[in-house]
């Protein structure tokens, strides 16, 4: 197949996925929403108009929006070149969140659309019951014809409770509600093969079939001026969405009519195709939502058994244990060179695994005085990476 044929095939897939997308998550970052430390009302009006267009076409739309801290700065004229402390950031988020939602509410009402606010911390998705409750709330809002606007709850979020950035939050929400597409609107036009500012041979990458190491390296050539994410976090978000069976788009959020243009087939930005094999819901939660609390080093035999043969992880294949974790918490499984090969939730605590590592399952009772399971991680709770 020639390169021209490949590109034609990719374009056909891209157009088909845009046409079939009925539930869409749109993430807009601070770099798009702000200008010179002020909220860019013109851009917000355009985004509201564009999202309203999609919503009026019969699609379900969820907006993941940054901007609370920036809105807080704008509200009280908080101008300081030094780094903002965590307490100051949380206070500014508390000030700015209501201001941000007021701006959105006014912008969407012009198009006859109602919005709803949802603030999350990582714990809201890491706790399985809260994860399901949040999902049900979003579905109820969509049935009501309301556009949910989701943001990280910066007022209470600490390092342990943070998603890292809203690119990651957007990807998690996309997979959680089984959306067809994740659209990331940023201040970067698209992904490039090289740095267009220094390399005249740099070309835009309009379609990505698979996010591999080459694509991740390209992310370093396209940097966002503001925000916490940068292009690499957007690429990784697209990778998570692809694993969940969805497609992604990264493109210029300040472009007039951006959503109407890409849904009408204009070759703008970078589009990421979904993976052929979709991770099931629980395994998505284990792989992408839970934060690993420890590391299990496996021997060659155990690595092959879980990766190639779909087996559960037995204590006999564990070489060493790092970290402190309890039953049901997430751990990474690595090979002898430290490469992550899987992630899963354990049936035993760290100190218990340290005692039974390298032993046959039949000896667990004698070593620990109890036996909760013959396996350390059951294959149903194990995700191969």
């Amino acid at each position: 197949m020639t390169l021209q044929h490949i590109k034609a095939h990719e374009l056909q897939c891209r157009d088909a996925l845009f046409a079939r997308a009925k539930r869409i998550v749109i993430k807009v970052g601070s770099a798009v929403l702000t200008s010179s430390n002020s909220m860019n009302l013109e851009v917000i009006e355009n985004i509201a108009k564009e999202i309203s267009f999609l919503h009026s076409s019969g699609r379900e739309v969820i907006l993941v929006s940054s901007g609370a801290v920036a809105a807080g700065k704008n509200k009280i004229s908080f101008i300081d070149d030094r780094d903002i402390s965590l307490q100051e950031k949380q206070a500014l988020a508390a000030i700015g969140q209501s201001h941000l939602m007021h701006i959105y509410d006014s912008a969407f009402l012009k198009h006859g659309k109602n919005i709803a606010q949802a603030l999350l911390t990582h714990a809201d998705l890491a706790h399985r019951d809260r994860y399901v409750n949040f999902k049900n709330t979003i579905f109820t809002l969509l049935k009501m014809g309301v556009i949910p606007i989701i943001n990280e709850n910066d007022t209470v979020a600490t390092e342990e409770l943070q998603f890292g950035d809203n690119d990651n939050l957007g990807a998690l929400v996309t997979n959680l509600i089984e959306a067809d597409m994740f659209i990331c609107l940023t201040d970067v036009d698209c992904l490039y093969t090289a740095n267009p500012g220094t390399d005249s041979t740099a070309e835009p990458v309009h379609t990505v079939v698979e996010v591999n190491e080459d694509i991740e390296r390209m992310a370093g050539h396209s940097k966002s001026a503001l925000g916490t994410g940068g292009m690499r976090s957007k690429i990784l978000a697209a990778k998570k969405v692809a694993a969940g069976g969805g497609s992604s788009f990264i493109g210029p959020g300040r472009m007039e009519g951006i959503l109407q243009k890409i849904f009408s087939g204009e070759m703008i930005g970078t589009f990421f195709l979904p993976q052929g094999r979709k991770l099931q819901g629980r395994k998505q939660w284990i792989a992408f939502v839970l934060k690993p609390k420890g590391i299990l080093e496996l021997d060659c035999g155990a690595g092959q058994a879980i990766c190639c043969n779909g087996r559960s992880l037995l204590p006999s294949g564990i070489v060493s244990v790092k970290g402190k974790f309890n039953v049901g918490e997430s751990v990474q499984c690595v090979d002898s060179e430290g490469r992550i090969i899987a992630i899963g939730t354990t049936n035993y605590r760290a100190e218990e695994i340290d005692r039974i590592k390298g032993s046959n399952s039949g000896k667990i009772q004698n070593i620990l005085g109890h036996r909760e399971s013959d396996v350390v991680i059951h294959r149903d709770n194990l995700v191969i990476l």
Side-chain angles (χ1 to χ4, degrees):
M1 184 179 286
T2 66
L3 182 59
Q4 286 182 333
H5 287 155
I6 292 173
K7 287 184 176 179
H9 173 68
E10 291 173 358
L11 179 59
Q12 189 176 28
C13 289
R14 173 178 171 139
D15 289 344
L17 288 166
F18 271 116
R20 291 203 303 264
K22 300 302 180 186
R23 181 177 295 157
I24 302 161
V25 174
I26 298 173
K27 181 262 175 180
V28 185
S30 298
V32 174
L33 297 174
T34 60
S35 179
S36 301
N37 289 324
S38 297
M39 302 305 296
N40 192 322
L41 299 182
E42 184 179 348
V43 169
I44 294 174
E45 292 280 355
N46 181 57
I47 289 169
K49 181 182 72 173
E50 290 292 288
I51 291 176
S52 297
F53 156 76
L54 284 185
H55 192 263
S56 295
S57 70
R59 296 175 171 92
E60 296 175 332
V61 187
I62 300 90
L63 174 61
V64 175
S65 175
S66 304
V69 174
K73 287 182 181 180
N74 187 45
K75 182 77 172 177
I76 63 169
S77 301
F78 186 99
I79 300 174
D80 200 330
D81 292 333
R82 64 180 170 81
D83 291 336
I84 302 173
S85 70
L86 175 61
Q87 289 79 13
E88 288 173 331
K89 181 180 178 182
Q90 291 175 326
L92 288 170
I95 296 166
Q97 187 62 39
S98 60
H99 182 47
L100 178 64
M101 293 304 296
H102 174 71
I103 293 171
Y104 272 129
D105 193 42
S106 299
F108 277 101
L109 278 177
K110 292 178 182 179
H111 305 280
K113 304 298 180 183
N114 291 315
I115 63 170
Q117 174 183 254
L119 298 177
L120 292 174
T121 66
H122 187 272
D124 294 319
L125 299 188
H127 190 286
R128 188 68 183 175
D129 288 343
R130 285 152 70 179
Y131 177 89
V132 173
N133 287 338
F134 171 74
K135 179 178 180 178
N136 291 336
T137 299
I138 295 299
F139 284 160
T140 302
L141 289 170
L142 294 176
K143 286 180 182 178
M144 291 177 173
V146 174
I147 299 172
I149 300 182
I150 300 170
N151 194 6
E152 183 165 15
N153 193 347
D154 292 318
T155 301
V156 299
T158 60
E159 184 176 355
E160 183 67 20
L161 299 176
Q162 288 175 338
F163 292 98
D165 54 67
N166 271 1
D167 299 322
N168 184 44
L169 173 58
L172 295 179
V173 169
T174 302
N175 288 344
L176 167 65
I177 64 172
E178 300 176 27
D180 303 303
M181 186 177 292
F182 174 54
I183 295 177
C184 187
L185 298 180
T186 182
D187 63 341
V188 175
D189 290 340
C190 64
L191 180 67
Y192 285 89
T193 56
N195 188 338
T198 58
D199 190 338
S200 60
T201 65
E203 294 183 355
V205 179
H206 288 302
T207 307
V208 174
V209 177
E210 178 187 9
V211 178
N212 52 30
E213 291 182 358
D214 290 336
I215 295 298
E216 290 186 33
R217 277 195 293 269
M218 288 181 194
H221 302 313
S222 307
K223 296 182 179 179
S224 174
L226 296 170
T228 59
M231 181 58 87
R232 177 171 171 78
S233 75
K234 293 166 179 55
I235 298 295
L236 296 179
K239 187 175 184 178
K240 291 176 183 178
V241 171
S247 55
S248 296
F249 170 86
I250 298 174
R254 293 181 178 176
M255 179 180 289
E256 181 73 25
I258 177 63
L259 296 182
Q260 296 185 54
K261 287 178 179 179
I262 61 177
F263 274 86
S264 64
E266 289 193 34
M267 193 56 64
I268 300 168
T270 301
F271 189 76
F272 298 80
L273 300 179
Q275 279 185 194
R277 186 178 180 182
K278 177 182 176 180
L279 272 180
Q280 296 305 309
R282 178 172 173 78
K283 290 202 171 185
Q284 286 184 38
W285 180 69
I286 292 171
F288 302 134
V289 177
L290 297 183
K291 292 185 177 182
K293 302 293 185 179
I295 298 173
L296 304 179
E297 181 187 341
L298 313 186
D299 62 27
C300 258
Q304 183 171 357
I306 66 172
C307 292
C308 301
N309 302 327
R311 302 288 181 82
S312 299
L313 177 61
L314 302 174
S316 57
I318 299 174
V319 176
S320 68
V321 183
K322 295 180 181 178
K324 294 182 179 181
F325 50 88
N326 293 313
V327 175
E329 291 193 312
S330 171
V331 297
Q332 294 174 336
C333 299
V334 303
D335 61 17
S336 59
E337 296 182 5
R339 292 175 298 197
I340 303 171
I341 58 176
I343 188 169
T345 55
T346 69
N347 292 324
Y348 291 94
R349 293 181 289 115
E351 53 267 35
E352 292 174 328
I353 299 175
D354 194 44
R355 290 170 62 189
I356 63 176
K357 67 178 187 292
S359 302
N360 185 281
S361 295
K363 297 181 179 180
I364 294 177
Q365 177 72 37
N366 292 336
I367 296 172
L368 299 180
H370 65 90
R371 186 174 68 182
E372 304 302 328
S373 173
D374 289 336
V375 302
V376 173
I377 304 178
H378 192 276
R379 63 183 181 182
D380 291 343
N381 297 324
L382 192 61
V383 183
I384 307 306
L385 301 177

